[in-house]
mmCIF file of all heavy atoms in Angstrom:
data_model
loop_
_atom_site.group_PDB
_atom_site.id
_atom_site.type_symbol
_atom_site.label_atom_id
_atom_site.label_comp_id
_atom_site.label_asym_id
_atom_site.label_seq_id
_atom_site.Cartn_x
_atom_site.Cartn_y
_atom_site.Cartn_z
ATOM 1 N N GLU A 1 -121.361 141.288 17.240
ATOM 2 C CA GLU A 1 -121.799 139.888 17.254
ATOM 3 C C GLU A 1 -120.889 139.065 18.160
ATOM 4 O O GLU A 1 -119.682 139.267 18.212
ATOM 5 C CB GLU A 1 -121.766 139.321 15.834
ATOM 6 C CG GLU A 1 -122.254 137.910 15.727
ATOM 7 C CD GLU A 1 -122.267 137.404 14.292
ATOM 8 O OE1 GLU A 1 -121.725 138.073 13.394
ATOM 9 O OE2 GLU A 1 -122.814 136.321 14.077
ATOM 10 N N THR A 2 -121.474 138.122 18.900
ATOM 11 C CA THR A 2 -120.718 137.250 19.801
ATOM 12 C C THR A 2 -120.947 135.798 19.422
ATOM 13 O O THR A 2 -122.069 135.393 19.135
ATOM 14 C CB THR A 2 -121.149 137.476 21.262
ATOM 15 O OG1 THR A 2 -120.874 138.830 21.627
ATOM 16 C CG2 THR A 2 -120.414 136.547 22.217
ATOM 17 N N ILE A 3 -119.860 135.030 19.440
ATOM 18 C CA ILE A 3 -119.929 133.595 19.208
ATOM 19 C C ILE A 3 -119.467 132.913 20.489
ATOM 20 O O ILE A 3 -118.424 133.269 21.045
ATOM 21 C CB ILE A 3 -119.042 133.169 18.027
ATOM 22 C CG1 ILE A 3 -119.592 133.732 16.719
ATOM 23 C CG2 ILE A 3 -118.923 131.650 17.950
ATOM 24 C CD1 ILE A 3 -118.750 133.418 15.507
ATOM 25 N N ALA A 4 -120.231 131.946 20.969
ATOM 26 C CA ALA A 4 -119.870 131.188 22.173
ATOM 27 C C ALA A 4 -119.420 129.790 21.769
ATOM 28 O O ALA A 4 -120.025 129.165 20.900
ATOM 29 C CB ALA A 4 -121.045 131.111 23.123
ATOM 30 N N VAL A 5 -118.350 129.320 22.422
ATOM 31 C CA VAL A 5 -117.806 128.002 22.144
ATOM 32 C C VAL A 5 -117.785 127.220 23.448
ATOM 33 O O VAL A 5 -117.283 127.707 24.462
ATOM 34 C CB VAL A 5 -116.371 128.093 21.579
ATOM 35 C CG1 VAL A 5 -115.816 126.715 21.276
ATOM 36 C CG2 VAL A 5 -116.328 128.982 20.355
ATOM 37 N N LYS A 6 -118.354 126.011 23.419
ATOM 38 C CA LYS A 6 -118.349 125.162 24.613
ATOM 39 C C LYS A 6 -118.326 123.697 24.188
ATOM 40 O O LYS A 6 -118.506 123.375 23.011
ATOM 41 C CB LYS A 6 -119.567 125.440 25.479
ATOM 42 C CG LYS A 6 -120.873 125.056 24.821
ATOM 43 C CD LYS A 6 -122.048 125.309 25.742
ATOM 44 C CE LYS A 6 -123.297 124.787 25.053
ATOM 45 N NZ LYS A 6 -124.127 124.026 25.924
ATOM 46 N N ARG A 7 -118.127 122.841 25.149
ATOM 47 C CA ARG A 7 -118.101 121.407 24.882
ATOM 48 C C ARG A 7 -119.484 120.945 24.432
ATOM 49 O O ARG A 7 -120.502 121.342 24.991
ATOM 50 C CB ARG A 7 -117.699 120.661 26.147
ATOM 51 C CG ARG A 7 -117.653 119.179 25.967
ATOM 52 C CD ARG A 7 -117.290 118.492 27.243
ATOM 53 N NE ARG A 7 -117.374 117.046 27.063
ATOM 54 C CZ ARG A 7 -117.181 116.188 28.026
ATOM 55 N NH1 ARG A 7 -116.889 116.614 29.234
ATOM 56 N NH2 ARG A 7 -117.280 114.909 27.783
ATOM 57 N N SER A 8 -119.491 120.092 23.439
ATOM 58 C CA SER A 8 -120.747 119.546 22.931
ATOM 59 C C SER A 8 -121.227 118.406 23.828
ATOM 60 O O SER A 8 -120.420 117.713 24.459
ATOM 61 C CB SER A 8 -120.551 119.028 21.512
ATOM 62 O OG SER A 8 -121.723 118.382 21.055
ATOM 63 N N SER A 9 -122.504 118.202 23.854
ATOM 64 C CA SER A 9 -123.055 117.058 24.589
ATOM 65 C C SER A 9 -122.983 115.784 23.736
ATOM 66 O O SER A 9 -123.170 114.688 24.238
ATOM 67 C CB SER A 9 -124.502 117.330 24.982
ATOM 68 O OG SER A 9 -125.284 117.549 23.826
ATOM 69 N N ARG A 10 -122.678 115.944 22.460
ATOM 70 C CA ARG A 10 -122.561 114.800 21.547
ATOM 71 C C ARG A 10 -121.159 114.196 21.623
ATOM 72 O O ARG A 10 -120.189 114.892 21.883
ATOM 73 C CB ARG A 10 -122.821 115.222 20.110
ATOM 74 C CG ARG A 10 -124.216 115.717 19.876
ATOM 75 C CD ARG A 10 -124.375 116.087 18.433
ATOM 76 N NE ARG A 10 -125.679 116.647 18.166
ATOM 77 C CZ ARG A 10 -126.024 117.133 17.006
ATOM 78 N NH1 ARG A 10 -125.163 117.146 16.005
ATOM 79 N NH2 ARG A 10 -127.228 117.626 16.824
ATOM 80 N N ARG A 11 -121.067 112.916 21.349
ATOM 81 C CA ARG A 11 -119.780 112.222 21.313
ATOM 82 C C ARG A 11 -119.476 111.811 19.875
ATOM 83 O O ARG A 11 -120.382 111.589 19.088
ATOM 84 C CB ARG A 11 -119.797 110.977 22.189
ATOM 85 C CG ARG A 11 -119.864 111.298 23.652
ATOM 86 C CD ARG A 11 -119.846 110.011 24.457
ATOM 87 N NE ARG A 11 -119.790 110.328 25.864
ATOM 88 C CZ ARG A 11 -118.723 110.121 26.619
ATOM 89 N NH1 ARG A 11 -117.642 109.582 26.112
ATOM 90 N NH2 ARG A 11 -118.743 110.440 27.891
ATOM 91 N N VAL A 12 -118.197 111.682 19.578
ATOM 92 C CA VAL A 12 -117.794 111.233 18.250
ATOM 93 C C VAL A 12 -116.837 110.053 18.419
ATOM 94 O O VAL A 12 -116.014 110.030 19.331
ATOM 95 C CB VAL A 12 -117.120 112.377 17.439
ATOM 96 C CG1 VAL A 12 -115.857 112.859 18.105
ATOM 97 C CG2 VAL A 12 -116.837 111.942 16.020
ATOM 98 N N HIS A 13 -116.999 109.062 17.579
ATOM 99 C CA HIS A 13 -116.110 107.904 17.581
ATOM 100 C C HIS A 13 -115.167 108.044 16.397
ATOM 101 O O HIS A 13 -115.609 108.166 15.259
ATOM 102 C CB HIS A 13 -116.910 106.604 17.476
ATOM 103 C CG HIS A 13 -117.817 106.394 18.638
ATOM 104 N ND1 HIS A 13 -117.371 105.941 19.862
ATOM 105 C CD2 HIS A 13 -119.138 106.612 18.787
ATOM 106 C CE1 HIS A 13 -118.380 105.866 20.688
ATOM 107 N NE2 HIS A 13 -119.464 106.279 20.069
ATOM 108 N N ILE A 14 -113.886 108.037 16.679
ATOM 109 C CA ILE A 14 -112.874 108.208 15.636
ATOM 110 C C ILE A 14 -112.243 106.856 15.347
ATOM 111 O O ILE A 14 -111.734 106.190 16.250
ATOM 112 C CB ILE A 14 -111.806 109.236 16.064
ATOM 113 C CG1 ILE A 14 -112.475 110.582 16.301
ATOM 114 C CG2 ILE A 14 -110.704 109.319 15.016
ATOM 115 C CD1 ILE A 14 -111.561 111.635 16.865
ATOM 116 N N LEU A 15 -112.293 106.464 14.088
ATOM 117 C CA LEU A 15 -111.689 105.206 13.667
ATOM 118 C C LEU A 15 -110.326 105.485 13.055
ATOM 119 O O LEU A 15 -110.126 106.478 12.368
ATOM 120 C CB LEU A 15 -112.581 104.516 12.634
ATOM 121 C CG LEU A 15 -113.994 104.183 13.098
ATOM 122 C CD1 LEU A 15 -114.779 103.557 11.954
ATOM 123 C CD2 LEU A 15 -113.973 103.262 14.295
ATOM 124 N N GLN A 16 -109.399 104.588 13.311
ATOM 125 C CA GLN A 16 -108.058 104.757 12.794
ATOM 126 C C GLN A 16 -107.513 103.388 12.410
ATOM 127 O O GLN A 16 -107.630 102.445 13.188
ATOM 128 C CB GLN A 16 -107.198 105.390 13.894
ATOM 129 C CG GLN A 16 -105.776 105.618 13.528
ATOM 130 C CD GLN A 16 -105.082 106.424 14.611
ATOM 131 O OE1 GLN A 16 -105.463 107.537 14.869
ATOM 132 N NE2 GLN A 16 -104.101 105.837 15.235
ATOM 133 N N PRO A 17 -106.916 103.253 11.223
ATOM 134 C CA PRO A 17 -106.348 101.960 10.836
ATOM 135 C C PRO A 17 -105.288 101.507 11.848
ATOM 136 O O PRO A 17 -104.549 102.328 12.399
ATOM 137 C CB PRO A 17 -105.709 102.226 9.472
ATOM 138 C CG PRO A 17 -106.363 103.480 8.984
ATOM 139 C CD PRO A 17 -106.742 104.261 10.197
ATOM 140 N N SER A 18 -105.216 100.219 12.096
ATOM 141 C CA SER A 18 -104.268 99.704 13.096
ATOM 142 C C SER A 18 -102.809 99.959 12.713
ATOM 143 O O SER A 18 -101.943 100.017 13.578
ATOM 144 C CB SER A 18 -104.497 98.214 13.319
ATOM 145 O OG SER A 18 -104.325 97.517 12.108
ATOM 146 N N ASP A 19 -102.533 100.138 11.424
ATOM 147 C CA ASP A 19 -101.145 100.373 11.002
ATOM 148 C C ASP A 19 -100.816 101.863 10.891
ATOM 149 O O ASP A 19 -99.751 102.230 10.428
ATOM 150 C CB ASP A 19 -100.866 99.670 9.670
ATOM 151 C CG ASP A 19 -101.735 100.192 8.537
ATOM 152 O OD1 ASP A 19 -102.744 100.881 8.812
ATOM 153 O OD2 ASP A 19 -101.418 99.902 7.369
ATOM 154 N N HIS A 20 -101.701 102.728 11.352
ATOM 155 C CA HIS A 20 -101.481 104.180 11.283
ATOM 156 C C HIS A 20 -100.541 104.620 12.394
ATOM 157 O O HIS A 20 -100.660 104.188 13.528
ATOM 158 C CB HIS A 20 -102.807 104.926 11.416
ATOM 159 C CG HIS A 20 -102.638 106.409 11.530
ATOM 160 N ND1 HIS A 20 -102.388 107.209 10.444
ATOM 161 C CD2 HIS A 20 -102.668 107.239 12.602
ATOM 162 C CE1 HIS A 20 -102.273 108.465 10.848
ATOM 163 N NE2 HIS A 20 -102.440 108.504 12.155
ATOM 164 N N SER A 21 -99.605 105.512 12.069
ATOM 165 C CA SER A 21 -98.692 106.068 13.061
ATOM 166 C C SER A 21 -98.683 107.586 12.927
ATOM 167 O O SER A 21 -98.267 108.129 11.905
ATOM 168 C CB SER A 21 -97.269 105.536 12.856
ATOM 169 O OG SER A 21 -96.346 106.296 13.618
ATOM 170 N N PHE A 22 -99.133 108.272 13.965
ATOM 171 C CA PHE A 22 -99.143 109.735 13.982
ATOM 172 C C PHE A 22 -97.735 110.278 13.747
ATOM 173 O O PHE A 22 -97.524 111.200 12.979
ATOM 174 C CB PHE A 22 -99.701 110.232 15.316
ATOM 175 C CG PHE A 22 -99.572 111.715 15.515
ATOM 176 C CD1 PHE A 22 -100.420 112.585 14.854
ATOM 177 C CD2 PHE A 22 -98.606 112.230 16.358
ATOM 178 C CE1 PHE A 22 -100.304 113.959 15.026
ATOM 179 C CE2 PHE A 22 -98.482 113.600 16.538
ATOM 180 C CZ PHE A 22 -99.334 114.458 15.871
ATOM 181 N N PHE A 23 -96.745 109.680 14.411
ATOM 182 C CA PHE A 23 -95.381 110.183 14.307
ATOM 183 C C PHE A 23 -94.775 109.915 12.929
ATOM 184 O O PHE A 23 -94.005 110.723 12.420
ATOM 185 C CB PHE A 23 -94.517 109.602 15.430
ATOM 186 C CG PHE A 23 -94.977 110.066 16.782
ATOM 187 C CD1 PHE A 23 -95.662 109.220 17.620
ATOM 188 C CD2 PHE A 23 -94.770 111.378 17.179
ATOM 189 C CE1 PHE A 23 -96.121 109.656 18.850
ATOM 190 C CE2 PHE A 23 -95.229 111.830 18.392
ATOM 191 C CZ PHE A 23 -95.902 110.965 19.238
ATOM 192 N N GLU A 24 -95.156 108.820 12.311
ATOM 193 C CA GLU A 24 -94.703 108.565 10.944
ATOM 194 C C GLU A 24 -95.284 109.602 9.981
ATOM 195 O O GLU A 24 -94.606 110.084 9.077
ATOM 196 C CB GLU A 24 -95.087 107.149 10.502
ATOM 197 C CG GLU A 24 -94.584 106.784 9.118
ATOM 198 C CD GLU A 24 -93.063 106.812 8.993
ATOM 199 O OE1 GLU A 24 -92.368 106.584 9.995
ATOM 200 O OE2 GLU A 24 -92.575 107.102 7.883
ATOM 201 N N THR A 25 -96.529 109.969 10.187
ATOM 202 C CA THR A 25 -97.158 111.019 9.374
ATOM 203 C C THR A 25 -96.399 112.326 9.532
ATOM 204 O O THR A 25 -96.119 113.024 8.549
ATOM 205 C CB THR A 25 -98.632 111.197 9.768
ATOM 206 O OG1 THR A 25 -99.313 109.949 9.574
ATOM 207 C CG2 THR A 25 -99.300 112.270 8.933
ATOM 208 N N LEU A 26 -96.050 112.690 10.778
ATOM 209 C CA LEU A 26 -95.252 113.907 11.003
ATOM 210 C C LEU A 26 -93.910 113.825 10.291
ATOM 211 O O LEU A 26 -93.483 114.790 9.659
ATOM 212 C CB LEU A 26 -95.006 114.113 12.505
ATOM 213 C CG LEU A 26 -96.123 114.704 13.325
ATOM 214 C CD1 LEU A 26 -95.679 114.842 14.779
ATOM 215 C CD2 LEU A 26 -96.568 116.044 12.786
ATOM 216 N N ARG A 27 -93.236 112.693 10.417
ATOM 217 C CA ARG A 27 -91.928 112.536 9.756
ATOM 218 C C ARG A 27 -92.036 112.759 8.252
ATOM 219 O O ARG A 27 -91.207 113.434 7.647
ATOM 220 C CB ARG A 27 -91.351 111.152 10.047
ATOM 221 C CG ARG A 27 -90.684 111.037 11.403
ATOM 222 C CD ARG A 27 -89.894 109.734 11.523
ATOM 223 N NE ARG A 27 -90.754 108.589 11.766
ATOM 224 C CZ ARG A 27 -91.241 108.260 12.954
ATOM 225 N NH1 ARG A 27 -90.956 108.981 14.014
ATOM 226 N NH2 ARG A 27 -92.018 107.199 13.084
ATOM 227 N N LYS A 28 -93.075 112.208 7.643
ATOM 228 C CA LYS A 28 -93.244 112.366 6.196
ATOM 229 C C LYS A 28 -93.570 113.807 5.821
ATOM 230 O O LYS A 28 -92.986 114.365 4.895
ATOM 231 C CB LYS A 28 -94.353 111.438 5.693
ATOM 232 C CG LYS A 28 -93.957 109.987 5.640
ATOM 233 C CD LYS A 28 -95.108 109.135 5.162
ATOM 234 C CE LYS A 28 -94.754 107.670 5.171
ATOM 235 N NZ LYS A 28 -95.899 106.829 4.822
ATOM 236 N N LYS A 29 -94.520 114.418 6.529
ATOM 237 C CA LYS A 29 -94.945 115.774 6.177
ATOM 238 C C LYS A 29 -93.873 116.822 6.452
ATOM 239 O O LYS A 29 -93.765 117.810 5.735
ATOM 240 C CB LYS A 29 -96.221 116.136 6.943
ATOM 241 C CG LYS A 29 -97.440 115.395 6.441
ATOM 242 C CD LYS A 29 -98.692 115.865 7.126
ATOM 243 C CE LYS A 29 -99.898 115.188 6.522
ATOM 244 N NZ LYS A 29 -101.150 115.746 7.026
ATOM 245 N N LEU A 30 -93.079 116.613 7.506
ATOM 246 C CA LEU A 30 -92.056 117.602 7.877
ATOM 247 C C LEU A 30 -90.669 117.223 7.356
ATOM 248 O O LEU A 30 -89.697 117.901 7.645
ATOM 249 C CB LEU A 30 -92.029 117.762 9.400
ATOM 250 C CG LEU A 30 -93.346 118.274 10.002
ATOM 251 C CD1 LEU A 30 -93.262 118.269 11.519
ATOM 252 C CD2 LEU A 30 -93.689 119.659 9.485
ATOM 253 N N HIS A 31 -90.610 116.118 6.586
ATOM 254 C CA HIS A 31 -89.365 115.651 5.997
ATOM 255 C C HIS A 31 -88.295 115.410 7.070
ATOM 256 O O HIS A 31 -87.135 115.748 6.899
ATOM 257 C CB HIS A 31 -88.844 116.637 4.931
ATOM 258 C CG HIS A 31 -89.839 116.911 3.879
ATOM 259 N ND1 HIS A 31 -90.177 115.977 2.920
ATOM 260 C CD2 HIS A 31 -90.626 117.994 3.643
ATOM 261 C CE1 HIS A 31 -91.113 116.496 2.120
ATOM 262 N NE2 HIS A 31 -91.415 117.711 2.552
ATOM 263 N N TRP A 32 -88.708 114.803 8.182
ATOM 264 C CA TRP A 32 -87.765 114.427 9.235
ATOM 265 C C TRP A 32 -87.158 113.092 8.863
ATOM 266 O O TRP A 32 -87.845 112.116 8.619
ATOM 267 C CB TRP A 32 -88.465 114.301 10.586
ATOM 268 C CG TRP A 32 -88.934 115.602 11.164
ATOM 269 C CD1 TRP A 32 -88.582 116.846 10.786
ATOM 270 C CD2 TRP A 32 -89.875 115.765 12.234
ATOM 271 N NE1 TRP A 32 -89.229 117.790 11.556
ATOM 272 C CE2 TRP A 32 -90.004 117.142 12.456
ATOM 273 C CE3 TRP A 32 -90.577 114.875 13.031
ATOM 274 C CZ2 TRP A 32 -90.849 117.655 13.444
ATOM 275 C CZ3 TRP A 32 -91.414 115.388 14.007
ATOM 276 C CH2 TRP A 32 -91.535 116.764 14.213
ATOM 277 N N THR A 33 -85.831 113.039 8.831
ATOM 278 C CA THR A 33 -85.168 111.789 8.452
ATOM 279 C C THR A 33 -84.429 111.163 9.617
ATOM 280 O O THR A 33 -83.836 110.110 9.464
ATOM 281 C CB THR A 33 -84.170 112.048 7.307
ATOM 282 O OG1 THR A 33 -83.229 113.032 7.752
ATOM 283 C CG2 THR A 33 -84.876 112.517 6.048
ATOM 284 N N GLY A 34 -84.415 111.789 10.745
ATOM 285 C CA GLY A 34 -83.702 111.255 11.910
ATOM 286 C C GLY A 34 -82.675 112.247 12.377
ATOM 287 O O GLY A 34 -82.504 113.333 11.837
#
């Protein structure tokens, strides 16, 4: 069996709260304190 993966013709809109910080999430999950 073969599975093919390619870019979709559909678009997705991703919403994110204005106070969200990707790096803060990493710090919390990985227990980075500085």
Side-chain angles (χ1 to χ4, degrees):
E1 183 177 10
T2 299
I3 293 177
V5 181
K6 66 178 185 135
R7 180 182 175 184
S8 174
S9 60
R10 296 181 183 175
R11 291 181 175 251
V12 62
H13 297 282
I14 299 174
L15 301 178
Q16 179 172 298
S18 59
D19 62 345
H20 173 79
S21 167
F22 172 76
F23 295 105
E24 183 61 28
T25 301
L26 281 181
R27 280 191 283 279
K28 286 179 183 175
K29 288 185 175 188
L30 298 174
H31 305 288
W32 291 345
T33 58

